[in-house]
């Protein structure tokens, strides 16, 4: 029974830590946290879209975050590593946070759903499903489910290629819950594969030269948004151009 209590206690602390990081480093585009206990301490991996905001000037952000994790959450000697997310549009947690900010700013939920689905599919996702529930329009609670592309619902493929996240946002109408499920193409494992294709792949690998080209680092573009708030402000202007189902129905009448 004690082992069960320890598992429940650890899961509860992890949930509180995720809720704290979701607000504390929201501008950095927080996605998830990995915690591994070692003999010397605790390794904490933060997956974010903008590592520079978490690190801070001369590591000041890391030092402040380390103190909070050690004092408030009881992690022994936390060692924080920041991991950059290359494709934030394919991370359900990042897109949940962005969509929740749009809803909190007063954007119509259907327009926000259509824009989020379009952004995810243009990033190269195999499929996406967005479920919104709560006080969407009136006093009564309701829910709507929208999907696009191919999204496995059951089986081994669903557990491997589909990832999801849930977030709740307080609006003027009431509390709204958002659930986003994304299927990624690169995680898809084909059930059957022809042997001839394998031979061709081996030949291509052998023909690749061993020389390595040195590519210069790309310079930082000052025109690109630096924080999540700047991303939301730019997207608000583009969301207004997205057509909803209601507008399409009126045009067809």
């Amino acid at each position: 029974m004690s082992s069960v209590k320890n598992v429940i206690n650890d899961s509860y602390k992890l949930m509180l830590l995720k809720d704290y990081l979701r607000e504390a480093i929201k501008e950095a585009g927080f996605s998830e946290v990995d915690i591994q206990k070692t003999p010397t301490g605790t390794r904490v991996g933060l997956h974010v879209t903008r590592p520079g905001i978490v690190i801070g000037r001369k590591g000041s952000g890391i030092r402040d975050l380390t103190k909070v994790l050690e004092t408030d959450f009881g992690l022994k000697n936390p060692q924080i590593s920041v991991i950059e997310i290359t494709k934030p549009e394919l991370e359900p947690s990042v897109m949940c946070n962005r969509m929740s900010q749009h809803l909190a700013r007063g954007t119509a939920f259907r327009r926000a759903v259509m824009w989020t689905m379009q952004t995810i599919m243009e990033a190269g996702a195999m499929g996406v499903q967005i479920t919104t529930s709560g006080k969407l329009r009136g006093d009564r609670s309701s829910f709507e489910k929208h999907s696009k592309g191919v999204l496995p619902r059951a089986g081994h493929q669903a557990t491997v290629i589909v990832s999801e996240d849930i977030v709740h946002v307080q609006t003027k109408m009431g509390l709204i819950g958002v659930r986003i499920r994304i299927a990624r193409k690169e995680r898809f494992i084909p059930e059957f594969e022809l042997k001839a294709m394998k031979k061709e792949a081996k030949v291509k690998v052998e023909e690749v030269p061993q020389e390595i080209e040195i590519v210069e680092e790309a310079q930082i573009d000052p025109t690109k948004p630096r924080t999540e708030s700047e991303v939301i402000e730019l997207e608000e202007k583009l969301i207004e151009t997205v057509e909803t189902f209601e507008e399409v129905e009126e045009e067809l009448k």
Side-chain angles (χ1 to χ4, degrees):
M1 192 66 181
S2 60
S3 61
V4 176
K5 288 184 178 179
N6 291 333
V7 172
I8 296 175
N9 190 23
D10 293 341
S11 300
Y12 178 69
K13 288 183 178 179
L14 181 60
M15 182 189 68
L16 295 178
L17 178 60
K18 286 184 177 181
D19 292 340
Y20 168 77
L21 293 174
R22 194 186 291 269
E23 291 294 330
I25 54 178
K26 178 173 62 177
E27 295 296 336
F30 170 73
S31 175
E32 59 180 344
V33 57
D34 297 329
I35 297 179
Q36 296 179 355
K37 294 182 180 180
T38 62
T40 58
T42 307
R43 293 181 181 178
V44 181
L46 302 177
H47 297 259
V48 297
T49 59
R50 293 169 177 83
I53 298 178
V54 181
I55 296 172
R57 292 185 178 181
K58 298 181 180 180
S60 59
I62 291 291
R63 289 193 293 270
D64 296 339
L65 192 58
T66 301
K67 292 179 182 178
V68 173
L69 297 182
E70 191 171 4
T71 56
D72 296 348
F73 294 94
L75 299 182
K76 296 181 180 179
N77 190 20
Q79 301 171 1
I80 300 176
S81 61
V82 184
I83 305 166
E84 184 179 5
I85 300 173
T86 56
K87 291 184 178 181
E89 292 81 9
L90 298 180
E91 294 294 332
S93 54
V94 176
M95 299 310 295
C96 275
N97 293 335
R98 291 183 180 180
M99 185 172 169
S100 64
Q101 292 186 47
H102 285 303
L103 295 176
R105 288 170 177 253
T107 305
F109 76 96
R110 284 184 179 173
R111 200 176 292 274
V113 168
M114 298 300 294
W115 170 257
T116 305
M117 290 175 57
Q118 179 181 338
T119 304
I120 293 172
M121 294 303 295
E122 288 179 354
M126 187 171 70
V128 58
Q129 182 186 80
I130 300 179
T131 305
T132 52
S133 60
K135 298 295 183 65
L136 301 178
R137 289 199 162 189
D139 295 335
R140 292 186 177 183
S141 298
S142 60
F143 80 95
E144 290 190 6
K145 187 180 294 184
H146 302 274
S147 59
K148 196 173 184 180
V150 180
L151 189 80
R153 304 293 179 87
H156 177 68
Q157 295 289 359
T159 58
V160 173
I161 69 177
V162 179
S163 55
E164 67 176 58
D165 193 29
I166 300 174
V167 69
H168 300 87
V169 54
Q170 186 69 38
T171 63
K172 294 181 179 179
M173 297 294 294
L175 190 65
I176 295 178
V178 179
R179 178 189 181 190
I180 298 180
R181 305 182 70 215
I182 300 176
R184 304 185 62 168
K185 295 179 181 178
E186 59 270 17
R187 297 179 182 175
F188 179 74
I189 303 173
E191 187 175 357
F192 301 101
E193 188 175 359
L194 297 177
K195 293 183 178 180
M197 295 176 63
K198 289 185 177 181
K199 292 181 180 179
E200 291 178 0
K202 290 181 180 179
V203 172
K204 290 181 180 180
V205 171
E206 293 175 356
E207 292 176 355
V208 174
Q210 299 297 326
E211 297 180 359
I212 301 176
E213 296 181 359
I214 300 175
V215 181
E216 295 182 357
E217 295 183 358
Q219 296 181 355
I220 299 175
D221 189 0
T223 60
K224 292 184 178 180
R226 293 175 295 178
T227 62
E228 286 294 309
S229 296
E230 294 181 1
V231 174
I232 299 302
E233 291 177 359
L234 292 175
E235 287 184 351
E236 280 186 348
K237 299 178 181 179
L238 299 174
I239 287 178
E240 296 177 357
T241 61
V242 178
E243 290 186 350
T244 61
F245 295 114
E246 296 175 349
E247 294 175 351
V248 173
E249 289 178 359
E250 291 180 359
E251 292 178 359
L252 295 175
K253 288 181 180 179

